[in-house]
């Protein structure tokens, strides 16, 4: 195929879901309702943490950032998908595609880092209960959140700039419902070796690294919980982090499920399930996370002891 210069590329085509027109209204209504529930649910979490003075603690500062990121995360891809379904269009502009890649990469990495910060908070709360307020000071929480944002922004900027340097062929069809980084790189006619190396290295360092940190934190938490003599104390200690475990499990399991496995029709089965799970799934679990965290550090001290 003949390569095209960046200036000649006007748009990509998102193949999205099945082309059966009878399914389009059902898909539109389903994902519109899921999107609205996700946004409203996360807004309620933010409102609860901001309006209640008892929740103005380092723990809830971390928690309030996650719903905000999830609102932005779902808003990166779903509105455009809904617009394409409604207008019966598959086009997305070149600039729009690069923008979508940038914010999707930024927010997915930020989600991972925030979950890691919250795992550290659980570790300190369970394993160093009496020193929780000393260790988890507001400036430390603010620094952890700031570092998470800076790392995510820089990584997303790197990936976006590297995609901008690619040349593309005449085939600009993306077998997905949004501009996913891997899919766009595969369409390039120029050498993509460096892009692929960066993607794989980043997946190990920025994806696997936080996961190792989360697993280490919970291995220490597990040891501390086992050391509690009271069964009620063990239950209460575990309940402070059970919902976070469910969110992390849902996030990583569905993310692994998004690895393209185009053995069947990718436009319906893979895309439909991935969008349900990743964009909305762990957002639904966050209200449970907030509910289980309503006992403050002082209460957790008494429960664990």
């Amino acid at each position: 195929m003949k390569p095209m210069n960046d200036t000649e590329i006007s748009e990509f085509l998102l193949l999205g879901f099945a082309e059966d027109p009878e399914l389009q209204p059902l898909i539109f209504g389903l994902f519109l309702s899921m999107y609205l529930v996700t946004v409203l649910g996360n807004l309620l979490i933010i409102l609860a943490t901001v309006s209640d003075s008892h929740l103005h603690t380092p723990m809830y500062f971390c928690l309030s950032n996650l719903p905000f990121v999830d609102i932005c995360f779902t808003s990166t891809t779903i509105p455009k998908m809904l617009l394409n379904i409604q207008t019966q269009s598959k086009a997305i502009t070149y600039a729009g595609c690069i923008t979508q890649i940038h914010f999707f990469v930024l927010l997915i990495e930020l989600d991972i880092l925030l979950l890691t910060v919250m795992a550290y908070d659980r570790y300190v709360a369970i394993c160093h209960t009496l020193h929780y307020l000393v260790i988890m000071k507001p400036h430390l929480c603010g620094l952890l959140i700031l570092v998470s944002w800076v790392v995510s922004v820089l990584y997303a900027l790197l990936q976006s700039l590297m995609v901008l340097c690619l040349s593309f062929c005449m085939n600009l069809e993306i077998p997905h419902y949004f501009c996913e980084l891997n899919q766009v790189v595969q369409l390039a006619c120029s050498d993509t070796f460096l892009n692929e190396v960066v993607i794989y290295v980043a997946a190990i360092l920025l994806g696997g690294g936080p996961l190792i940190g989360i697993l280490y934190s919970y291995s220490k938490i597990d040891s501390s919980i086992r050391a509690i003599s009271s069964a009620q104390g063990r239950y209460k200690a575990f309940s402070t982090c059970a919902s976070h475990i469910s969110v992390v499990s849902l996030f990583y399991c569905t993310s692994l499920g998004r690895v393209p496995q185009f053995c069947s029709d990718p436009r319906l089965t893979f895309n439909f399930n991935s969008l349900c799970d990743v964009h909305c799934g762990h957002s639904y679990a966050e209200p449970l996370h907030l509910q289980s965290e309503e006992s403050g550090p002082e209460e957790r001290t008494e429960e664990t002891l």
Side-chain angles (χ1 to χ4, degrees), residues 56-293:
H56 293 172
T57 63
M59 171 179 56
Y60 289 100
F61 177 69
C62 297
L63 183 61
S64 62
N65 274 267
L66 195 58
F68 171 74
V69 172
D70 282 331
I71 291 174
C72 299
F73 179 60
T74 54
S75 299
T76 300
T77 57
I78 292 184
K80 176 59 178 175
M81 182 201 71
L82 294 175
L83 178 63
N84 284 359
I85 293 176
Q86 186 67 18
T87 59
Q88 299 296 314
S89 172
K90 297 181 180 181
I92 181 172
T93 63
Y94 177 76
C97 187
I98 300 299
T99 302
Q100 204 173 68
I101 289 175
H102 175 79
F103 283 103
F104 186 85
V105 171
L106 188 160
L107 295 167
I108 198 75
E109 180 58 33
L110 186 56
D111 242 340
I112 293 173
L113 295 178
L114 288 177
L115 289 173
T116 307
V117 171
M118 295 172 75
Y120 176 71
D121 174 82
R122 302 278 71 74
Y123 162 75
V124 176
I126 301 298
C127 301
H128 303 281
T129 309
L130 297 176
H131 299 91
Y132 176 81
L133 294 178
V134 177
I135 298 175
M136 296 301 293
K137 292 181 179 179
H139 77 272
L140 176 60
C141 288
L143 180 61
L144 292 174
I145 299 299
L146 178 61
V147 170
S148 299
W149 273 96
V150 170
V151 171
S152 302
V153 169
L154 291 178
Y155 172 57
L157 185 61
L158 172 64
Q159 291 288 11
S160 302
L161 292 177
M162 292 185 68
V163 172
L164 283 172
C165 295
L166 296 176
S167 298
F168 294 90
C169 301
M170 297 299 295
N171 180 21
L172 299 177
E173 295 182 346
I174 300 175
H176 223 308
Y177 49 85
F178 70 98
C179 287
E180 188 183 48
L181 177 62
N182 290 337
Q183 296 293 333
V184 174
V185 170
Q186 289 176 11
L187 294 178
C189 288
S190 56
D191 185 19
T192 60
F193 175 76
L194 184 59
N195 298 74
E196 293 172 357
V197 168
V198 172
I199 290 174
Y200 289 128
V201 171
I204 295 173
L205 296 180
L206 299 180
L211 179 59
I212 292 174
I214 292 173
L215 294 176
Y216 176 79
S217 296
Y218 277 107
S219 68
K220 293 296 185 180
I221 290 173
D222 180 68
S223 300
S224 296
I225 292 178
R226 290 177 182 273
I228 300 175
S229 57
S230 168
Q232 184 179 12
R234 288 195 298 269
Y235 171 77
K236 290 183 177 180
F238 176 76
S239 66
T240 64
C241 55
S243 57
H244 180 260
I245 295 176
S246 67
V247 173
V248 171
S249 301
L250 183 61
F251 180 85
Y252 272 96
C253 289
T254 53
S255 295
L256 291 175
R258 290 184 61 255
V259 177
Q261 304 277 343
F262 293 108
C263 297
S264 57
D265 183 3
R267 291 180 292 178
L268 180 58
T269 54
F270 168 70
N271 291 349
F272 187 86
N273 294 329
S274 300
L275 189 58
C276 285
D277 295 338
V278 177
H279 282 72
C280 303
H282 73 285
S283 299
Y284 292 154
E286 284 172 9
L288 298 176
H289 190 181
L290 178 63
Q291 183 178 5
S292 70
E293 296 296 339

Side-chain angles (χ1 to χ4, degrees), residues 27-45:
I27 294 174
F28 179 85
L30 175 62
F31 286 107
L32 177 61
S33 61
M34 292 175 64
Y35 175 68
L36 293 177
V37 169
T38 300
V39 171
L40 292 176
N42 283 294
L43 284 176
L44 288 176
I45 295 176

